[in-house]
Amino acid sequence: MDYNHELEKLIAKHSMRKASFLNRWSQLDSHDVVAIWGAGEHTRILLDMVSLCDKNVICIVDNDPQRIGTEIEGLPVYHPSQINELGIDTVVISSFVYAEAIMQEIQMRFPQLHCLQVYTEYEPNPITDPWKLYYDLQHLNKEYRTANDESIKERFLWELICAYVEIRDFELAQEHIALYAQYKFPKADLLLRFKDELNVLLDQLKSDLQNRKQKDISLFVIDSLRADDLYDSQELRMPRTHGLLEHSLIYTNVHTTSTYTKAAVNAMLTERLMIDDELYLERKIDANHSNLLKFLSQERYLLINFSGAFEFVEVEAARVHNVYRSTRKTKIKKQWPTATIIWNYFCTLANNKDQPIFALIHSLDVHFPLVCPYHSKFQDLRDASRKFYTEQFYFRDHKEQILFQRNECLSYIDRKLHDFQQFISSPHITIICSDHGESLGENQSFGHLFSKNTSVTHIPLVVHGISRQPQEIGKLFSMKFFGAEIVSLLTGQPAVPAQNEVMIQRDPIYSTEIHVDGFTAFVDPRILQGFKIVRGQADSYVLYDDGSEEYYSIKDESANLAADTCYSERIDHLRAIAIKAGFPYKGE
């Protein structure tokens, strides 16, 4: 059965299409002179929902003489007869009840105008930016919650349910269908029928997937997930996933190889380091350099990459599938939301009954700007995402909201991982890890790209479904050897030995925006240089590409002990490891 096709039929049958006005608003030409038609409550909601900063909205028009000459949010209200003298190019129809009558009036009196209706359903565009979509969801959720008019509340709740269905988050869709039914809104019976038919389809999909005999492998790379997010038993941020640990192999002393996604994932798959092996010169992950991907290809696995941050160079053209084809300008955002990825992965499993599948599932839900499909208390942090690299005190001033929102994102991905496990078969192997962690104020740092803290380098690694006794593995382990470790687990060969030290590397940052915004006024400018961290069990040595160095005890990463002669011998040992391959981009 083609489950996605069946779902689309079900959506069409019950007219479960989201109007997605915000998508159409974003496509307005910034040079067009725009007027909003309608000076009622809908327009006040509209102005709260959209950004006018890059749109040339000059006024509101309305036929009500009592509203002419007033202002709404600083926009003057004119009579429609003034449209031509104002030089209007586009009219946004902001009315629910009178939308059709307004459209007819415009077509008769102003046929030259382009019209954009707030309340018109249309076929949604392909999803390419999960964060933008998540912000749209938060706008819909806010308007539904705050609307006083019952017709407006119903409309936004309907749109919100359709939006959840669009991203394939059926759990949130069904929760909000229940709310819709509690309000006894007009389409409650239709939505309840949709819910029943959806559950029949999902039950059939679950049955098909649980009957699979193939040893499929899912690699979840949860962007910016810290080790303590998953392992801290005192403060359970991901309780459902934490419950999985007692049935899994848990690596508790794992460190990433770099502080940003592309470098970290490339290294974990190809066993090469960002600086030493000059990965900074490569834009794609060469699967031919990956022992793990080559092994899986030889075992006849279909290799699927669900990340928009990087692309696989194919081992065999028929056996590698990059879901998103990147370009030179492709950013990490260009991919589906997590729920959409999981749904499409399930459909792929159902359509390939006789072939094992390896899927890399990259989730952005815990990555800044910390927005997911549902928040009980939400603040738009997009401006902050530009500031926190340049204004290091932003986190101090907004710490409570940032941590609250991040915990809700952790709760959301926890639910998604739990739901995923309910569908898969017993031979299925699930691997959960991160590309890098995140500093949350430790030593006055925030984020990951510009931090050397253990909170950034220490990441979780959980392997569930392997034919091994559940075990906690405390060896010091670099994700450079991730592929070798997984192959050893799959084949029964000896595991990768514990390392005495692990290496974390980051190439230089040349972005002119950072310098223009005054980043170096707030932090040590050396953080923009390339650096290597040699991490031991209890200490950390940092070598910058200008030759300067730092040395820390893990117990106190705020005190640089490089000048302390008590540690000279240890520093000499770690320095020798760091300088072995030099910094190739400096001609060394």
Side-chain angles (χ1 to χ4, degrees):
M1 181 187 298
D2 185 336
Y3 283 95
N4 202 50
H5 179 67
E6 292 301 314
L7 177 64
E8 288 295 333
K9 285 168 54 179
L10 189 59
I11 291 171
K13 174 183 176 182
H14 295 280
S15 302
M16 296 289 294
R17 291 294 184 198
K18 184 169 71 75
S20 299
F21 165 77
L22 293 174
N23 289 338
R24 286 174 287 150
W25 174 271
S26 67
Q27 294 169 13
L28 278 176
D29 192 316
S30 60
H31 299 293
D32 280 359
V33 180
V34 179
I36 298 173
W37 192 308
E41 184 181 353
H42 287 283
T43 294
R44 297 182 186 276
I45 293 172
L46 170 66
L47 292 174
D48 188 46
M49 213 166 97
V50 301
S51 171
L52 301 181
C53 62
D54 60 344
K55 308 299 179 189
N56 189 20
V57 180
I58 66 165
C59 67
I60 297 167
V61 297
D62 199 287
N63 282 308
D64 186 344
Q66 293 185 350
R67 291 173 172 169
I68 308 302
T70 64
E71 289 187 353
I72 298 178
E73 300 295 331
L75 293 174
V77 180
Y78 297 116
H79 190 271
S81 61
Q82 297 175 268
I83 281 178
N84 286 334
E85 63 186 85
L86 292 168
I88 303 298
D89 301 307
T90 299
V91 171
V92 175
I93 300 175
S94 178
S95 175
F96 180 45
V97 176
Y98 302 108
E100 186 175 347
I102 293 171
M103 175 62 81
Q104 290 176 354
E105 182 175 351
I106 291 172
Q107 290 174 342
M108 183 167 39
R109 298 178 60 189
F110 313 104
Q112 78 281 7
L113 294 181
H114 170 64
C115 293
L116 180 66
Q117 292 196 54
V118 175
Y119 301 105
T120 300
E121 297 187 6
Y122 83 117
E123 190 74 17
N125 291 322
I127 300 168
T128 58
D129 184 341
W131 287 322
K132 180 184 182 304
L133 198 68
Y134 288 171
Y135 277 111
D136 289 353
L137 286 167
Q138 298 311 318
H139 282 301
L140 290 171
N141 194 23
K142 176 184 177 182
E143 299 310 329
Y144 145 66
R145 288 182 175 189
T146 59
N148 294 318
D149 184 284
E150 286 293 295
S151 67
I152 296 174
K153 181 180 284 288
E154 183 276 334
R155 182 67 189 193
F156 278 113
L157 182 53
W158 171 271
E159 289 286 310
L160 185 59
I161 293 167
C162 292
Y164 284 137
V165 171
E166 182 181 327
I167 68 168
R168 306 319 193 223
D169 194 318
F170 305 120
E171 184 177 6
L172 284 173
Q174 296 196 46
E175 288 178 9
H176 286 78
I177 287 173
L179 290 172
Y180 191 101
Q182 287 177 17
Y183 282 113
K184 298 181 181 180
F185 284 144
K187 299 179 182 178
D189 289 343
L190 181 147
L191 283 176
L192 291 173
R193 288 196 298 272
F194 170 80
K195 176 183 174 182
D196 291 341
E197 292 180 45
L198 173 63
N199 283 329
V200 170
L201 184 67
L202 294 177
D203 287 344
Q204 181 61 53
L205 174 60
K206 181 186 290 188
S207 176
D208 279 0
L209 296 186
Q210 291 181 343
N211 287 325
R212 277 182 67 84
K213 305 302 181 185
Q214 308 295 335
K215 186 179 287 187
D216 304 304
I217 303 173
S218 303
L219 170 58
F220 280 88
V221 179
I222 313 298
D223 207 304
S224 305
L225 187 69
R226 295 161 49 122
D228 60 3
D229 289 331
L230 192 51
Y231 294 157
D232 188 349
S233 58
Q234 301 301 313
E235 182 184 353
L236 290 180
R237 304 182 189 98
M238 301 177 67
R240 298 174 181 85
T241 309
H242 191 272
L244 193 70
L245 301 186
E246 63 185 63
H247 308 291
S248 309
L249 295 180
I250 314 161
Y251 294 75
T252 59
N253 200 7
V254 176
H255 290 266
T256 183
T257 60
S258 192
T259 63
Y260 66 97
T261 301
K262 188 174 292 187
V265 177
N266 200 333
M268 69 182 273
L269 292 177
T270 66
E271 302 180 25
R272 296 182 296 162
L273 294 174
M274 174 51 57
I275 294 176
D276 288 0
D277 300 301
E278 301 186 67
L279 284 186
Y280 55 84
L281 298 175
E282 300 183 12
R283 303 193 62 83
K284 299 181 180 181
I285 295 177
D286 190 346
N288 294 291
H289 289 158
S290 171
N291 289 326
L292 173 61
L293 297 183
K294 285 194 294 184
F295 168 79
L296 294 173
S297 181
Q298 291 166 3
E299 296 294 315
R300 314 306 296 168
Y301 275 78
L302 171 63
L303 311 178
I304 305 180
N305 171 27
F306 282 105
S307 175
F310 42 81
E311 190 173 326
F312 291 163
V313 176
E314 298 171 342
V315 180
E316 298 177 24
R319 301 204 169 273
V320 176
H321 177 46
N322 291 292
V323 175
Y324 326 99
R325 286 288 177 179
S326 63
T327 67
R328 179 168 292 273
K329 294 183 179 179
T330 295
K331 300 295 184 182
I332 193 172
K333 294 189 295 184
K334 298 297 182 182
Q335 64 182 58
W336 285 323
T338 302
T340 316
I341 293 174
I342 290 174
W343 169 258
N344 280 276
Y345 178 46
F346 283 167
C347 292
T348 302
L349 290 172
N351 292 334
N352 292 269
K353 296 183 181 297
D354 300 322
Q355 184 175 23
I357 295 176
F358 168 86
L360 190 156
I361 299 173
H362 181 202
S363 168
L364 298 172
D365 296 276
V366 188
H367 190 287
F368 210 85
L370 300 173
V371 56
C372 67
Y374 178 79
H375 289 283
S376 59
K377 182 176 71 173
F378 177 71
Q379 179 177 325
D380 189 336
L381 299 175
R382 279 177 291 188
D383 286 339
S385 70
R386 289 188 287 272
K387 290 179 181 177
F388 82 93
Y389 289 149
T390 57
E391 298 179 14
Q392 290 296 293
F393 298 111
Y394 183 87
F395 177 69
R396 179 197 65 189
D397 298 336
H398 298 78
K399 181 176 181 179
E400 182 179 350
Q401 178 63 29
I402 287 175
L403 292 181
F404 178 85
Q405 216 153 291
R406 188 174 188 276
N407 283 337
E408 288 203 317
C409 291
L410 287 168
S411 178
Y412 178 76
I413 194 63
D414 187 38
R415 291 173 66 172
K416 292 299 101 184
L417 290 170
H418 178 264
D419 293 346
F420 178 86
Q421 290 297 126
Q422 306 311 303
F423 274 76
I424 59 177
S425 62
S426 56
H428 197 113
I429 296 170
T430 304
I431 304 170
I432 302 170
C433 70
S434 180
D435 47 356
H436 51 73
E438 194 88 340
S439 280
L440 299 174
E442 295 88 354
N443 301 319
Q444 303 301 311
S445 68
F446 178 63
H448 53 270
L449 189 59
F450 304 107
S451 176
K452 311 179 299 294
N453 290 334
T454 297
S455 56
V456 170
T457 69
H458 186 203
I459 62 173
L461 174 59
V462 176
V463 183
H464 179 75
I466 289 284
S467 300
R468 299 272 183 102
Q469 287 295 319
Q471 182 182 2
E472 185 174 304
I473 301 169
K475 66 182 179 182
L476 183 62
F477 183 80
S478 169
M479 284 298 278
K480 175 183 178 181
F481 302 108
F482 167 82
E485 184 79 357
I486 298 303
V487 171
S488 74
L489 292 174
L490 294 173
T491 60
Q493 297 174 1
V496 174
Q499 293 108 54
N500 294 321
E501 294 91 16
V502 296
M503 184 85 80
I504 301 102
Q505 303 183 352
R506 201 212 65 203
D507 48 323
I509 297 175
Y510 298 109
S511 172
T512 56
E513 293 181 5
I514 292 172
H515 297 276
V516 169
D517 288 341
F519 176 83
T520 54
F522 294 91
V523 299
D524 186 342
R526 286 187 302 177
I527 201 67
L528 301 181
Q529 299 170 202
F531 59 78
K532 299 180 182 182
I533 304 172
V534 185
R535 166 69 190 254
Q537 287 283 4
D539 56 1
S540 178
Y541 169 81
V542 184
L543 178 65
Y544 293 95
D545 60 15
D546 67 354
S548 57
E549 57 187 7
E550 300 167 356
Y551 177 73
Y552 301 96
S553 166
I554 298 306
K555 292 181 179 179
D556 181 7
E557 293 183 272
S558 65
N560 180 9
L561 305 174
D564 191 329
T565 57
C566 295
Y567 302 102
S568 296
E569 186 175 345
R570 176 62 174 168
I571 291 173
D572 288 344
H573 169 72
L574 298 176
R575 183 189 301 115
I577 296 172
I579 65 175
K580 187 175 182 180
F583 291 87
Y585 56 83
K586 295 181 71 70
E588 299 178 5

